[in-house]
Every structure is written in structure tokens, then in C-alpha cells.
Amino acid sequence: MRGTILYAPGDIRSEILPDPTIVEPTDAIIETSATCVCGSDLWPYRGINTFDEPWAIGHEYVGVVREVGTAVTTVRPGQFVIGSFIASDNTCPHCRAGYQSGCAQLAPVLGCQAEAIRVPLADGTLVPTPDTPSDEMLPDLLALSDVMGTGWYAARAAGVAPGHTTVVVGDGAVGLSAVLAAKELGAERIIALSRHADRQVLAREFGATDVVPERGAEAVARVREMTGGVGADSVAECVGTDESLTTALDCARQGGGVGFVGVPHDVALPIARLFRNHVRLQGGSAPVRNYLPDLISRTYAGNFHPGRVFDLRLPLADVAQGYRAMDERQAIKAFLIP
Amino acid sequence: MRGTILYAPGDIRSEILPDPTIVEPTDAIIETSATCVCGSDLWPYRGINTFDEPWAIGHEYVGVVREVGTAVTTVRPGQFVIGSFIASDNTCPHCRAGYQSGCAQLAPVLGCQAEAIRVPLADGTLVPTPDTPSDEMLPDLLALSDVMGTGWYAARAAGVAPGHTTVVVGDGAVGLSAVLAAKELGAERIIALSRHADRQVLAREFGATDVVPERGAEAVARVREMTGGVGADSVAECVGTDESLTTALDCARQGGGVGFVGVPHDVALPIARLFRNHVRLQGGSAPVRNYLPDLISRTYAGNFHPGRVFDLRLPLADVAQGYRAMDERQAIKAFLIP
């Protein structure tokens, strides 16, 4: 089957690899109907995250169950399923509390830029859709597997509530998804920090009421000005740099919430600032599994189109082109068709 | 009138000072019925916090209004009042959101280890009690002015809720108050980290179900063991050191809450750990003004005795003895009678 290997920074190849097989009785094998390239895949592609061995990359997927292990009871061959990029048992105390991305048994789902994948802990990880969706629905459903689920967590961790003024830091696919999440969760004013024209357009389509092209201290000054000096009720940080987190913290009002989902890279948390501003801070990898049933329902109900973040469609074999386009910011997110 | 000046580390003196007077029309002058020494007063007393000029110290008080400025409308001479250690207008957006300690006009209340004090922003800061309380009630009411209000915020910021397993890091007066707060807020199991016999006794009186004498990684291991490997639902951090905050973060379960009220001293927040554990973190100086009406009601209702943290009673003139006793851990907290 066709899969994708990152050999070294910048060296990504589509290759014919061995078909995945059941290893544990809790595994399932999925034939992917669609997969994609994640902003976080660019960290190793750019050589910022180092790695020692060729990497079967990709962690986002939707598809049809081909085979299940003997211990799997809740999904069966032929079903269309979505799963998180983190496999979870969905029964441990952390899962039951809604933090499946902190599952006692958590395992990554690997090698998803491929025609078929092995998903561990299938019962706890995969959620079947109500039916086999049309091709038109695939982008919306695929987005739930990571970016939309992550944007949702960013908004939830930030405590977005009806009537809020919410700031979203970062205009990548996750930041844009956080805008959509804030809209769905009832934020009244959504200020997107974005300096790219195409992303600004999508941010507004997703519900942003204001776009601030400035960054850092200038962005903070603009947000302060727009909120009468008070700051935002909730801030979703979707980048993961020191500047973006500082910006997020400084945009929040006294006692406001900051949700951070950008994997932190060289970030020094300013505790004195947290102390002074009483900000509620929560971050981490999103418990996507927790949100999948709700997000699938919203997608099936229509009027919820997180798949709009995909602005480049490619055959899986052309995966390298997807990485290049995203690396050069020619595309927000590349959708890959096996 | 008699007041207290910290001249240099270790050099604290009770002296006759000029009577305070109304400076701003929003001021009130209070004749203190009781005041006390705070654990945070020990930072400059020990020379850990530096200062350049003689310091009229103390920030906790209850007493009777002697005089008010022309703009004061909600308190009047003769009323018994309690106020926070931070003066606030109680009308700005931050105050209205419940964060009076982040008030747009906030001002410290200074020189409270004295027979009389000037309280800025009297309308927004002072809360009258239902009547003039008996002498027996003074310790309980005085505790509300800082330590009990701060312990309350620690528990609230940690998200303590009915049924929780709550850990309290720190067995000073604030930590003990956080135990009492967790009990009042419905925590089912309260694990106090305390290694001092007298404080352990008070922690249990306040509602601790378990006492862990270990510190640091050993304390974390004990808490993990006691919670079936899961960790605590909520953790109140009441010390302010790097070790105590790390301990607090490591005691929390996935998605658990950590409230921190110890003023951070050389603390490096481990963002990777926050990311991994999905901990909700909130800290800062407590919005005591927000909690005063509720805490006064609880005190008047009986069965709520935060004043038990005072285990040394002294005339105000002997304030130096109070500092010494607290510095040497001979006393938890010194109550001063003007």
C-alpha cells in the first residue's frame, strides 16, 4: 500500500510500504478515505523537531474499518469511522473525566498519510459515523480528527462562553478552527490575529468579527483598545511560540481564560504575569475523542464546515507537494486522497 | 497612635506615629480592633524581599470607622468593618467580574499593624458586619481580611467542587485556611501536606482527612498512591516556591485544577508539564473583597472558625515578638490587640 516516509528534514517521500496488520487484539485496520498534512508535521519537516529514524508520518484520518482484532467489540468491518490522533482506552479515570489525550494507556496513531493504517485501542479511539458519508462530507469529517478537535479544545480550555469577547492567536488551520469553535460556543465578538489575506477571509467566514494583523505587543495594544482597556474574556493560543503565548496572556482580561494548544517550543511561562492577571490557563494536546460525537453531530446537521481549512487537494502520491505548499504558506492545509 | 515600622531585615519596631488622616475624599480612617502578622510580612523581615525605606508594615485589619472622606457613601463612622488588603473601587469591569484584586484603581492598604489606618477607596473596599461583633469573634473576622480570603481563592481557583479529592500544599495560615475552604466547598477527601505537628492538628480540625508529611517528589508519590495513581481533582498551592508549585502541578490529575496563591519566588513554570497534564492553572492575589460578604455570613452563622489559625495573642506593642515567633515557626500566626 502507499504510505509516506519523512527521511530527513525536507525529504518526504510517497512509497509502497507493507500493509499494516493487527498486532494487538484491540487493534483495527482502517482503509483511509482521506488524510492530510498537519501544521505540526512541519516541525520535523523543517528540522525544528529532530528525529533519528525514517518516520512514517501523518496522524489524521477517516476511513472504513477493514479488520478488527479479537478483542474489539464496538466497531466492525465496513463501518466508516473517525478517530483522534491519540489512541485511548476511553475507560480509564482520565478518559472518563474527558481527557482521553491523557489516557493511562495512550498511544499515538502513526503513519496516517497512507492508504491503510493500524489504530490501537480501536474501541476507545474510533467513533463510527451515522452512515457512510458522501465524498463532499469527507473534508469536514477529516478536520474533526485533529484540527477542529484541537481548535474546539482551545476554545473550551479558554472557557469560551456565550457573550464572550474571544481572541484567537494564530491563523493556521487550528487557529481558524478555534474561531469556528468560539462561534459555535456562543462568543459574541471574535478577534482573529491574522496577517494573511486568505486566512483572514476564512476567519471571517468562520465567525471572526474583527481581524488584527499586528503581532506581539502591537496586537495586544489593539485588543486592549478594542475592549475598552479591559482585555478579552477568553483567548485561544494556537501557535506554540513564546511570542504567541505571551501575546495570548496579555490579551486576556483579569481572570480571563487562556487555552493553549500549540505545542510549546522554547516557551518560558511568565508566572509573575499569571499571578498579576489572575489568568486561568489550560493547555495540552486536545482530547479529540471527547468531542467527536458532538462534532460529528454538528457536521451531519449541516451549517458546520470545518473542512474549509483544506485549500489544496492532492492525490496521496503527491504528498510532498502538500508539505511544500504548507511550508511556503501557499496552502493552509493539504487534503490527501488515497 | 501606635504603629509598626520595619526598618531593616529583622529590625521591626513598635512606635508612636502620626495619626492617619483623610487624603482623598474616597478614604476612610479605621480604628483597628485587631490586626496581625502575615506570612508574607516575613519575606522582607527575613531580607528575601528587599526594600529601601522604613516600611509601615501590615495589611490585615478589622475595626470601627472613625472618619470618612466627603465622597464615601456606603460606610459611616461607628460601623464595624472588614476590608481586603487590596483597596478596590468595586465598580470597574475587573471588580464586577469578581477580580477586585485586579481593580483598575487598585491600591495597597498599608501600615495596618497600627491603632488606626487609612483605607483608600472605602466604598469599594470595606464591608460592614451585621453588628459590632463580640471580642470572641474578632479572630474569625480578622482572618477574613487576608488568610481566609486567600485560602478561599486558592480553593476556588483550583476548582474545588463537591466530592473532590483536594490536596493543599503548604501548612501556613493560608494553607490551613485553604483546607477549611475546601471543606466548606464540599471536598470529600482533603490531603494536607504538613510536617509540623501543631499544624497537622489544626489541618485535621479544619477538615483534612489525610496528612502527608513528605515533601516534593515523595509527597507526589504518596498522593499518587492514595489516589490509585490518578492524582487529585484540585490542588491549592499556598507557599510560592518552585518546589511547592512543582509539587502542586504533579499532584493534580489530568485536567485537574491548581490554584496558586503563594507569591512566586524564583519559580520556573514547567510548560511542558502543563501541556502534558492538561492542568488548569490559576493564581494571583486573592480577590478577598469578592468573598467577604459570603465569608462574613458564614462566620456569623457559627461553625466556621478561620480565626483558629491565630495561636499567639500579643498586645500591638509587642509586635516584634510576633514576628520572631512566626519566623522561628513557634507560632502559626500572631494576633495583635491595639
Side-chain angles (χ1 to χ4, degrees), chain B residues 6 49 58 62 84 105 115 150 170 178 204 210 258 266 326-327:
Chain B
L6 180 66
N49 285 4
V62 292
S84 163
Q105 297 197 60
E115 288 174 323
T150 297
R204 288 194 185 274
D210 302 88
V258 173
D266 296 319
M326 285 175 62
D327 180 41

Side-chain angles (χ1 to χ4, degrees), chain B residues 10 14 29 40 42 57 71 82 158 161 178 221 246 258 282 289:
Chain B
S14 180
I29 305 299
S40 69
L42 296 180
I57 199 166
I82 311 177
T246 302
V258 173
Q282 184 176 30
R289 174 62 185 83

Side-chain angles (χ1 to χ4, degrees), chain A residues 151-152 155-156 159-164 179-187 294 298:
Chain A
W152 199 263
R156 291 284 296 270
V160 174
H164 268 202
V179 168
L180 181 55
K183 175 73 176 172
E184 292 280 312
L185 293 169
D294 176 34
R298 287 175 195 259

Side-chain angles (χ1 to χ4, degrees), chain A residues 144-168:
Chain A
L144 308 186
S145 179
D146 181 353
V147 286
M148 186 63 232
T150 297
W152 199 263
Y153 175 60
R156 291 284 296 270
V160 174
H164 268 202
T165 292
T166 301
V167 168
V168 177

Side-chain angles (χ1 to χ4, degrees), chain B residues 114-335:
Chain B
E115 288 174 323
I117 57 175
R118 182 178 75 88
V119 177
L121 302 169
D123 278 337
T125 305
L126 298 170
V127 180
T129 51
D131 57 27
T132 299
S134 65
D135 283 354
E136 286 66 41
M137 289 185 75
L138 290 184
D140 291 336
L141 292 170
L142 177 61
L144 308 186
S145 178
D146 181 353
V147 285
M148 186 63 233
T150 297
W152 198 264
Y153 175 61
R156 292 285 295 270
V160 175
H164 267 202
T165 293
T166 302
V167 167
V168 177
V169 182
D171 63 357
V174 170
L176 293 165
S177 300
V179 168
L180 181 54
K183 176 73 177 172
E184 292 279 313
L185 293 168
E188 194 174 290
R189 190 172 192 186
I190 302 172
I191 304 171
L193 269 52
S194 171
R195 54 170 52 181
H196 303 93
D198 54 336
R199 296 169 189 223
Q200 291 177 353
V201 170
L202 190 50
R204 288 194 185 274
E205 279 181 34
F206 274 178
T209 54
D210 302 88
V211 169
V212 168
E214 288 88 352
R215 283 191 184 177
E218 289 178 15
V220 172
R222 287 280 293 128
V223 168
R224 295 260 150 211
E225 188 189 306
M226 294 165 79
T227 55
V230 173
D233 302 301
S234 41
V235 184
E237 191 284 317
C238 307
V239 181
T241 63
D242 197 67
E243 181 187 70
S244 63
L245 194 67
T246 302
T247 301
L249 291 172
D250 287 353
C251 283
R253 64 181 291 158
Q254 286 282 337
V258 173
F260 68 102
V261 295
V263 181
H265 285 77
D266 296 319
V267 171
L269 263 183
I271 191 164
R273 199 172 315 209
L274 284 177
F275 194 86
R276 198 167 57 240
N277 292 350
H278 302 85
V279 165
R280 276 181 296 99
L281 181 67
Q282 184 176 30
S285 57
V288 172
R289 174 62 185 83
N290 185 20
Y291 307 135
L292 280 177
D294 176 33
L295 295 178
I296 291 171
S297 290
R298 287 175 196 259
T299 306
Y300 267 82
N303 271 330
F304 181 68
H305 295 293
R308 286 189 191 158
V309 294
F310 295 110
D311 56 351
L312 177 63
R313 290 176 79 94
L314 295 168
L316 176 59
D318 294 341
V319 59
Q321 190 183 331
Y323 275 79
R324 221 163 28 238
M326 285 175 62
D327 180 41
E328 295 165 0
R329 293 188 189 277
Q330 301 300 317
I332 299 173
K333 193 166 176 73
F335 182 84

